[in-house]
Amino acid sequence: MGAWQPLPEGLPPEVRHFVEQLRLLKDRTGLSLVALGARTAYSKSSWQRYLNATQPPPRQAVVALCRVAGTGAEEAERFGVRWELAVKVWPKQAPLPGKPDDAATPTLPGKPDDAAPPIPGTPTQTAAERDPGDDYEDEPTLPWWDAPPPAPASSSRRLLTTALVLAAVLALTAVIGALAFG
């Protein structure tokens, strides 16, 4: 397919390898990013971020790409392992200007750093103390066509339903017969 923009310098080898393999898999589909977005639950812009290594893809995005590409179970499993290795070492995005990433707790105006109480809802760990994989969610985002089918009713439940329907039909027949022959 088209030429990819170069990956950022300083990427860990696991991330670089994973993204290169993901790009090859995407190219193998022959789909544009728009078409890939239409066949998965992820937008064109999301795929651009994933394939340019600016953001790690969720595991389900990788699964969806493997499904669209028609990979076998063994190859899809290898992509899952590559994803796990890459997410563990994926570099953090640069902090926004004026918002230091390593601040343990925000400070209040006019108070020294050591006197600032923690603000509810803010993290109390520094960036160095957090596990690198914690910031990347692995929540499945499944399109409706990939949703698992409803579980079939158990045989005992089916038997009970059939017995209740037959009992109701028999009782109704008895009532109608009693009224008709009365």
Side-chain angles (χ1 to χ4, degrees):
M1 295 283 330
W4 292 100
Q5 64 178 308
L7 291 173
E9 292 297 322
L11 275 180
E14 297 89 345
V15 174
R16 182 172 296 281
H17 178 70
F18 172 69
V19 173
E20 287 169 351
Q21 292 299 310
L22 211 58
R23 287 176 168 187
L24 290 173
L25 185 61
K26 184 266 174 206
D27 288 344
R28 206 167 80 188
T29 67
L31 298 173
S32 67
L33 291 176
V34 173
L36 182 61
R39 293 196 183 184
T40 63
Y42 303 92
S43 68
K44 171 191 169 194
S45 58
S46 292
W47 282 113
Q48 284 175 326
R49 289 190 302 272
Y50 307 153
L51 295 168
N52 289 319
T54 56
Q55 178 184 347
R59 178 187 288 273
Q60 288 299 55
V62 177
V63 170
L65 178 58
C66 288
R67 180 183 50 80
V68 169
T71 63
E74 191 175 305
E75 187 177 6
E77 186 176 334
R78 281 196 302 270
F79 269 98
V81 170
R82 286 184 195 120
W83 177 86
E84 288 175 12
L85 294 172
V87 166
K88 286 181 182 178
V89 296
W90 204 289
K92 302 284 185 234
Q93 290 183 341
L96 296 174
K99 294 193 176 204
D101 188 38
D102 288 352
T105 56
T107 59
L108 296 175
K111 289 196 168 195
D113 287 350
D114 58 351
I119 297 175
T122 58
T124 56
Q125 293 179 319
T126 65
E129 294 171 330
R130 289 191 296 264
D131 181 13
D134 286 349
D135 293 341
Y136 305 119
E137 295 183 17
D138 188 18
E139 283 297 313
T141 305
L142 295 175
W144 61 270
W145 58 84
D146 278 348
S154 66
S155 59
S156 61
R157 188 175 201 168
R158 204 173 313 134
L159 182 62
L160 177 62
T161 304
T162 304
L164 288 174
V165 168
L166 284 176
V169 169
L170 185 59
L172 185 61
T173 304
V175 169
I176 292 174
L179 291 175
F181 299 113

